[in-house]
Amino acid sequence: MRRVYLDHAATTAVHPEVLEEMLPYLKEEFGNPSSIYSWGREAKAAVEKARARLAHLLGAHPAEIVFTSGGTESDNFALRGVAAANSQKGNHIITTKIEHHAVLHTAEQLEKEGFRVTYLPVDRDGLVRPEDLEEALTPDTVLVSIMFANNEIGTIEPIAELARIAKSKGVIFHTDAVQAVGNIPIDVKELNVDLLSLSGHKIYGPKGTGALYIRRGTRIEPLLLGGAQERKWRAGTENVPGIVGLGKAAELAEKELPQRMKHLTELRDLLINGVMERIDHVRLNGHRTQRLPGNASFCFEFVEGESLLLNLDLAGIAASSGSACTSGSLEPSHVLMALGIPPEVAHGSLRLTLGRDNTREDVEYVLSVLPDIVARLRAISPLAPGGVKEDV
Ligand SMILES: *Cc1c(COP(=O)(O)O)cnc(C)c1O
C-alpha cells in the first residue's frame, strides 16, 4: 500500500545531510565543549559553527542565539525569563488565543503567579488585528508574545507591524516562529522582534533541539541554572550532535528555501483546490493566501475528525486533526474555537501538512481516497443530510 506522510507540522524526517553531519559527534567526536583539551575544543568549534549557521538563517548575530531543547523550552524561556526580569516594571503580558500550548500554558501559569494576561482574539481567518494590540498595551505591559504562523491553520500573522506597535511603546516582543522558520523568509533585524523561538525537528533537524534568538540588550533571565554553558543563558552540557544537526538543518533551510516554498505552495494549492472541488460542506481553515506554504486545514461538516484520521491511516495516510482527546472527552481545538467555528463543525477538522519529500502523486492519492472516506462517514452519520437516521 502507498504510504503518504502529511503531518510535517507535527514533525519532519531528519534530512540525510543532517544525519551525515551529526554522526561523528555521536561517535568519535564525543568531547564536552567545556573541556580544554582537543576533544573539547573540537566539540566547541562544532557548536559555534552551528550557531553561526542558525544566526545567518535569521539575520542575527551568533551571540544572539541560545540553544535549547526545543520550541517548548524556548517559549517557556522567553515568557518566564522576561516576566522574571521585568516584574519591577509591570505585571501585564499580551498574547493571543491561538498560541501553541507551550506559550498558552506558560501564560496561564504566570497568571497563577500574579501576572495579568490579555489573550487577543483573531478574525475568522486567524489574523490578529493590530488595533487590538494597540488597545491592549498598558504602561504595565512587559511582554507581547504572538506566534509567527499558526501550527493548526497555517495563518501567518503580520509580525513586523505587531512588533512595531509593541516596540513603539518600549515593550519586549516575542514570536513563536517554530512553524515559520524554514518555510518563509525571516530576518529578525527587518522584523524588529526581540525574541524568536524555533525548533529543530520541524525543519528536518533532530528532535529535542531548538533555539531562542535574544536581541542584544533584551532584559531576560535564564530558565535553567547551573554551569556556564551558552554564556550562562542556558546551563547544562550542550547536546552537541543535536546542535550540529540543527545547524546543518538551518543551512539547508536557507539554501533550499526558494525551492521549498515553490514546491509546497504548488502542492498545497493542488490539495486545497482538489478538496474544495470534490467534497461539499467543507470549510478551509485559516487565511486563503496569508498562510504557510505547506498547510491545508479543513473542517468537514457531519464528520468526526478522529474517524477521518483512522480511515486515512488505513489508507496509509498520516494526518492530524484539531481536536485533542483528553480523558475520553473530545475537546474541540482552541484555535478553531477562536475562529468562531461552531464546536460540532470543529470536531470534523483535518490538517494536512506537506513537506519537501511530498510529490504531486501523494496529493493525487489523497484526492483519490478522501472523498470516498468522507462520503462513507457521512452515510453513517445521523446528522448528515441523507445520512442514516436512527429510529426513535
Ligand atoms: C511544535 C511546536 C512547538 C513545540 O516545539 P517542540 O520542539 O516540539 O517542543 C511550539 N510552537 C509551535 C508553533 C509548534 O508548532
Side-chain angles (χ1 to χ4, degrees), residues 95-133:
T95 183
T96 79
K97 291 191 165 139
I98 62 163
E99 298 298 310
H100 189 274
H101 284 134
V103 166
L104 276 186
H105 289 166
T106 304
E108 285 162 16
Q109 180 60 30
L110 285 166
E111 280 189 277
K112 289 185 192 150
E113 296 172 16
F115 280 83
R116 199 165 61 77
V117 181
T118 302
Y119 300 90
L120 297 177
V122 292
D123 70 12
R124 46 176 294 131
D125 292 328
L127 287 169
V128 175
R129 296 178 203 84
E131 55 272 27
D132 286 346
L133 172 59

Side-chain angles (χ1 to χ4, degrees), residues 209-220:
T209 67
L212 183 66
Y213 158 77
I214 307 178
R215 176 184 294 275
R216 246 177 300 203
T218 305
R219 283 179 66 89
I220 182 167

Side-chain angles (χ1 to χ4, degrees), residues 9-11 68-75 98-103 147-152 176-180 197-202 206-210 351:
T11 198
T68 67
S69 66
T72 299
E73 185 188 323
S74 296
D75 286 344
I98 62 163
E99 298 298 310
H100 189 274
H101 284 134
V103 166
M147 71 197 319
F148 210 120
N150 186 270
N151 45 302
E152 279 184 46
D176 173 342
V178 169
Q179 294 289 339
S197 301
L198 62 90
S199 171
H201 75 103
K202 306 281 177 83
K207 292 171 180 61
T209 67
R351 180 187 72 180

Side-chain angles (χ1 to χ4, degrees), residues 363-379:
V363 172
E364 279 156 16
Y365 176 61
V366 173
L367 292 175
S368 75
V369 299
L370 186 59
D372 286 345
I373 292 175
V374 171
R376 253 191 292 126
L377 293 172
R378 282 180 178 165

Side-chain angles (χ1 to χ4, degrees), residues 124 152-153 272 275-276 279-286 291 295-306 308 320-323 332-352 370 374 378:
R124 46 176 294 131
E152 279 184 46
I153 59 172
I272 290 177
V275 166
M276 305 304 277
I279 305 175
D280 51 15
H281 298 288
V282 56
R283 176 192 197 283
L284 176 70
N285 301 318
R291 74 186 299 132
N295 176 291
S297 167
F298 308 96
C299 281
F300 298 94
E301 282 182 65
F302 323 115
V303 172
E304 278 296 335
E306 301 296 306
L308 215 46
S320 147
S321 135
S323 342
S333 135
H334 66 283
V335 177
L336 300 179
M337 291 294 92
L339 300 184
I341 299 175
E344 66 276 14
V345 176
H347 277 308
S349 65
L350 177 70
R351 180 187 72 180
L352 302 165
L370 186 59
V374 171
R378 282 180 178 165

